[in-house]
Amino acid sequence: MNFLATTKNLHFPTNNANLKTLFNKYVDKTCVYSWNRVIAELARSRNSLEALRAFASLRKLSLIPNRSTFPCTVKSCSALLDILSGKQTHQQALVFGYESDLFVSSALIDMYSKCGVLGDARKLFDEITQRNIVTWTSMFTGYVQNDNGYEALVLFKEFLREDSVSVDSIALVSVLSACSRVSGKGITRGVHGLLIKSGFEGELGVGNTLIDAYAKCGNVSIARKVFDGIGERDVVSWNSMIAIYAQNGLSMEALEAFYAMVIEREVEYNEVTLSAVLLACSHAGALQLGKCIHDQKVPLNTHFKYLGNMREIIIICVKGLTSSNSAKNLSFPQVIKTDLEDNVFVGTSVIDMYCKCGRVEMARKVFNCMKEKNVKSWTAMISGYGMHGHAKEALEVLHLMQREGVKPNYITFVSVLAACSHAGLLEEGRHWFHTMSQEFHIEPGVEHYGCMVDLLGRAGCLDEAYNLIKKMKVRPDSVVWGALLGACRVYKNVDLGEISAKKLFELDPNNCGYYVLLSNIYADAGRWKDVERMRIFMKSHGLVKPPGFSLVEAKGRVHVFLVGDKDHPQHKEIYRYMEKLSIKMQAAGYVPDTTSVLHDVDQEEKETVLLVHSEKLAVVFGIMNTVPGSTIQVLKNLRVCGDCHTAIKFISKIVNREIVVRDSKRFHQFIDGLCSCGDYW
């Protein structure tokens, strides 16, 4: 809307009583300086429309604006994203001879950038002959705001050749934000060196943005060094570090930083902090800790022990503080206690945490209680149902979302299609794949195609899946081709398997999982020479399959098991219990599925190998170390194997326990000998 056009006939800037008081206090109607004070005050207090009305009234009185009139007026146009009023104000500035004023020009560059008219912003910038740091920074920021970090860095390189202008901390923040979007390690290091040379290394705003820049280019360790080097950190510093750890799957490091933040009480946590910590709980499958953050008390001297891959990481989250009386008396930060449950971002994080920790029914309770929901909240609930195999419930939430007038977005449809794939809802998946583009005008991306190829492949429609890939408007990635390769393994399609594998070898040549899958397809077809060829290739190229491991939470600790694990203190008791269970399972009809074990191993050895898979060991440990009748929660880093899936169904019935396994693809809820996936996974 053109606000200046709608207010041009006003002699008085507002009908608001409080603003009238302000007007009467400051304004001599014949004095432009008085009007400038009112416009500035209104702009600062975000009464942007009133500020434009004041400017319109000033012009109606035939007063001549000066260089102080325009920056705040332009700022108000920016706040309202009113490009028409902004252009009119620009024209007025030209009429009164302020086209070369740097403060007016900088404000106009900022206004054009925020309104998305970046070409006009750059044209104005290029017309300025003598630029100051504010002008340069306005243009840097304009590129960053419009997701064009590369051009911001190109411009910064040009700036560095200017001897007459020195860089300041605000400019560096903009440039580092550009580095975050370009994700270039060398570029970020170069800017880092410049800010050290310029003496801004310890500046808080610069440091916080530098942390984010290093994190975006995948260098978490240097981000931590920058964090440690900041003298007085604020809540943004802590939140950034916790979020970086959580987003990179370093859940225990995130929790350790959170503990340090809470116990040291360096700063007060906020809703962003809790959202980041809940994300860490989601990745770690730490249900009890997540519940504590949501609505329960837990003393801070509780230890949470995490053993990482190959047992190289051991972190005790509270180091040396458990003997402190002050630490013992502290209670854990809670979402409910701090009245943040109604915060839409925190509420969505709680939903995501419960879903990823296997408690979708608790997630739905939180969802139902939320007073405000945004598209992310609805999508989190749809995704949660989908990953648990409850596709019908996911689609019900989608329909409810539409009835509430919330428009699904790109990610929503990824969750919808994934839900259809997990449950084998072929027709529903086809329907929503076409509906998203035809009705909602959302072009399918590689994630949507990946879900559809997976859905078609699982249903045995391999030719349709392959034809869909060939028609893709975006380049298929390893997820798309991997879905087709996995389906080829299930349906023993050698020809399409070889086509998929060839593409995958080009996209991700160091992922040995694809070579193993193709080798298994050859083995199923009896092509033993090709099996041997795959093995020789993998060995000669040093390709080793990453070890599978499983996590289980018990007695306040997260325990990790590898296949054939003998490092755990209770490993002897676990194996004895497993042998007893095996006898009962076979009596109940369990027959080991040895198809996933190496073909050159005899049958008895194959069955022995299957018994010591990490998920079986984690389940048995959970049975031995939790209260009878309670749910056992296991997290697996790889896809659960067919034999373990069958075995856990038998175990759930024999011990009368609910067992929830979250693997790399989805959740499996085992109850009374059945799985929620319906054996379709």
Side-chain angles (χ1 to χ4, degrees):
M1 179 182 291
N2 185 345
F3 288 108
L4 284 184
T6 61
T7 60
K8 63 182 181 181
N9 295 321
L10 292 176
H11 286 272
F12 197 76
T14 181
N15 293 319
N16 183 292
N18 291 331
L19 295 178
K20 281 185 178 181
T21 302
L22 175 69
F23 182 86
N24 291 328
K25 179 179 179 181
Y26 286 129
V27 172
D28 173 355
K29 289 186 179 180
T30 63
C31 178
V32 70
Y33 298 101
S34 297
W35 284 96
N36 287 349
R37 292 184 67 184
V38 170
I39 294 170
E41 185 64 30
L42 291 171
R44 276 194 294 269
S45 59
R46 299 184 180 180
N47 287 307
S48 302
L49 178 56
E50 305 293 349
L52 293 187
R53 284 176 173 159
F55 179 74
S57 295
L58 176 153
R59 294 297 300 120
K60 186 66 177 178
L61 293 170
S62 300
L63 293 175
I64 299 176
N66 59 27
R67 69 187 300 267
S68 299
T69 311
F70 289 103
C72 290
T73 305
V74 173
K75 179 181 177 182
S76 299
C77 296
S78 301
L80 294 168
L81 300 180
D82 181 6
I83 187 63
L84 293 178
S85 293
K87 286 185 174 182
Q88 286 187 11
T89 308
H90 186 183
Q91 186 63 34
Q92 293 270 302
L94 293 176
V95 167
F96 289 103
Y98 295 110
E99 68 274 11
S100 60
D101 185 276
L102 291 179
F103 289 101
V104 175
S105 298
S106 297
L108 286 167
I109 290 169
D110 180 68
M111 182 275 296
Y112 281 123
S113 299
K114 285 180 178 173
C115 291
V117 192
L118 202 56
D120 286 356
R122 183 58 193 258
K123 181 181 178 182
L124 178 59
F125 175 84
D126 289 338
E127 290 173 352
I128 301 172
T129 55
Q130 296 293 325
R131 307 178 187 118
N132 63 7
I133 190 60
V134 177
T135 315
W136 284 95
T137 303
S138 296
M139 200 63 241
F140 297 151
T141 305
Y143 279 123
V144 172
Q145 288 171 340
N146 287 271
D147 291 324
N148 199 334
Y150 176 78
E151 289 298 331
L153 293 173
V154 170
L155 186 65
F156 182 61
K157 188 175 181 180
E158 181 182 333
F159 164 80
L160 293 176
R161 293 195 289 267
E162 292 278 337
D163 295 328
S164 59
V165 185
S166 299
V167 72
D168 66 7
S169 61
I170 300 174
L172 285 171
V173 166
S174 292
V175 173
L176 288 169
S177 297
C179 293
S180 299
R181 286 158 174 79
V182 174
S183 300
K185 294 181 181 180
I187 297 172
T188 302
R189 281 197 295 265
V191 178
H192 189 182
L194 174 66
L195 70 89
I196 292 174
K197 184 179 178 181
S198 304
F200 293 105
E201 186 177 15
E203 208 278 335
L204 183 60
V206 173
N208 287 343
T209 315
L210 184 59
I211 289 171
D212 183 64
Y214 273 121
K216 292 287 173 57
C217 63
N219 209 325
V220 179
S221 60
I222 296 185
R224 180 59 195 241
K225 289 180 180 178
V226 175
F227 172 83
D228 291 337
I230 298 176
E232 294 187 12
R233 295 171 290 223
D234 63 2
V235 68
V236 176
S237 315
W238 284 98
N239 288 350
S240 297
M241 204 64 243
I242 294 168
I244 288 164
Y245 280 138
Q247 290 162 1
N248 284 274
L250 302 171
S251 300
M252 293 305 124
E253 286 85 346
L255 296 175
E256 183 185 35
F258 179 51
Y259 271 111
M261 176 184 181
V262 173
I263 294 174
E264 292 168 8
R265 298 206 169 193
E266 187 172 327
V267 295
E268 289 295 323
Y269 60 88
N270 58 19
E271 65 273 12
V272 179
T273 317
L274 294 181
S275 294
V277 175
L278 287 165
L279 176 62
C281 293
S282 300
H283 287 322
L287 174 63
Q288 295 306 317
L289 180 55
K291 287 173 68 176
C292 289
I293 293 173
H294 179 212
D295 66 355
Q296 296 179 8
K297 278 192 173 184
V298 62
L300 279 175
N301 60 348
T302 300
H303 283 202
F304 289 88
K305 184 177 180 182
Y306 175 77
L307 305 179
N309 290 2
M310 308 305 292
R311 302 185 181 277
E312 292 177 352
I313 305 171
I314 300 179
I315 296 177
I316 302 298
C317 293
V318 187
K319 295 181 177 178
L321 293 169
T322 57
S323 60
S324 166
N325 290 329
S326 60
K328 290 179 180 179
N329 293 329
L330 288 173
S331 62
F332 211 84
Q334 296 172 261
V335 171
I336 291 178
K337 183 179 178 182
T338 51
D339 295 324
L340 287 171
E341 191 173 30
D342 289 334
N343 181 286
V344 67
F345 301 105
V346 175
T348 302
S349 297
V350 173
I351 291 169
D352 181 67
M353 182 274 295
Y354 278 129
C355 287
K356 289 181 179 174
C357 288
R359 293 295 183 271
V360 69
E361 69 286 348
M362 296 177 74
R364 185 57 188 264
K365 289 179 181 178
V366 174
F367 178 82
N368 289 341
C369 290
M370 287 180 68
K371 295 178 181 178
E372 179 189 353
K373 303 180 183 76
N374 62 13
V375 65
K376 291 184 179 179
S377 314
W378 290 94
T379 301
M381 198 66 249
I382 293 169
S383 176
Y385 275 130
M387 69 177 70
H388 283 81
H390 305 319
K392 291 182 179 179
E393 289 85 348
L395 294 179
E396 286 173 3
V397 174
L398 175 64
H399 291 305
L400 181 60
M401 175 185 186
Q402 291 177 273
R403 287 199 297 271
E404 292 289 328
V406 181
K407 187 178 179 180
N409 63 12
Y410 184 98
I411 303 299
T412 307
F413 282 108
V414 173
S415 300
V416 169
L417 294 174
C420 293
S421 176
H422 287 317
L425 301 183
L426 185 58
E427 293 307 317
E428 289 86 344
R430 285 171 173 153
H431 165 76
W432 287 111
F433 183 73
H434 294 296
T435 299
M436 63 177 283
S437 57
Q438 294 174 0
E439 183 177 335
F440 294 94
H441 309 294
I442 298 173
E443 283 299 312
V446 68
E447 298 91 346
H448 304 106
Y449 283 109
C451 291
M452 282 304 297
V453 170
D454 189 53
L455 173 60
L456 293 166
R458 289 172 186 271
C461 305
L462 269 64
D463 289 334
E464 184 179 349
Y466 181 49
N467 288 331
L468 180 64
I469 294 175
K470 290 192 290 186
K471 294 177 182 176
M472 284 176 62
K473 296 180 181 179
V474 293
R475 186 189 181 196
D477 64 2
S478 58
V479 175
V480 175
W481 287 112
L484 183 59
L485 180 61
C488 291
R489 166 73 203 282
V490 173
Y491 291 98
K492 300 178 172 56
N493 189 317
V494 178
D495 292 338
L496 278 181
E498 289 181 324
I499 292 173
S500 306
K502 182 180 178 181
K503 295 291 185 180
L504 287 164
F505 298 159
E506 294 172 359
L507 290 167
D508 193 1
N510 296 321
N511 190 325
C512 72
Y514 305 136
Y515 297 91
V516 172
L517 267 177
L518 183 58
S519 177
N520 289 335
I521 292 173
Y522 285 142
D524 290 336
R527 292 171 55 170
W528 302 111
K529 289 184 179 179
D530 288 321
V531 172
E532 185 63 22
R533 178 170 58 85
M534 286 291 101
R535 288 189 185 179
I536 291 172
F537 181 88
M538 290 171 63
K539 186 176 182 179
S540 64
H541 287 76
L543 300 176
V544 180
K545 186 177 180 180
F549 64 87
S550 297
L551 313 179
V552 61
E553 188 178 13
K555 298 179 180 178
R557 295 188 178 189
V558 177
H559 298 258
V560 178
F561 292 90
L562 305 174
V563 62
D565 205 321
K566 292 188 178 180
D567 289 331
H568 195 277
Q570 296 185 39
H571 74 272
K572 292 182 180 179
E573 294 91 334
I574 293 170
Y575 287 133
R576 282 197 293 267
Y577 194 101
M578 187 70 245
E579 289 175 2
K580 293 178 182 178
L581 265 182
S582 178
I583 295 171
K584 293 180 181 179
M585 288 159 56
Q586 292 184 26
Y590 162 71
V591 178
D593 178 4
T594 59
T595 57
S596 63
V597 186
L598 294 174
H599 288 269
D600 56 357
V601 177
D602 62 43
Q603 185 65 22
E604 184 177 350
E605 187 174 349
K606 287 181 180 180
E607 294 181 11
T608 302
V609 170
L610 289 172
L611 280 178
V612 295
H613 276 193
S614 65
E615 51 265 63
K616 289 192 183 81
L617 299 180
V619 167
V620 169
F621 173 81
I623 295 170
M624 295 169 55
N625 291 274
T626 56
V627 179
S630 62
T631 300
I632 299 164
Q633 182 90 24
V634 174
L635 189 156
K636 176 75 185 288
N637 70 320
L638 304 176
R639 186 173 181 267
V640 64
C641 81
D643 179 73
C644 286
H645 189 270
T646 301
I648 296 172
K649 286 198 296 184
F650 277 94
I651 293 172
S652 71
K653 187 175 182 66
I654 292 169
V655 301
N656 192 27
R657 300 282 288 274
E658 177 185 353
I659 303 170
V660 178
V661 178
R662 172 181 139 198
D663 69 8
S664 60
K665 296 291 184 181
R666 58 168 299 155
F667 276 89
H668 301 268
Q669 185 179 21
F670 300 92
I671 301 176
D672 195 30
L674 299 173
C675 180
S676 60
C677 74
D679 297 335
Y680 186 87
W681 54 281

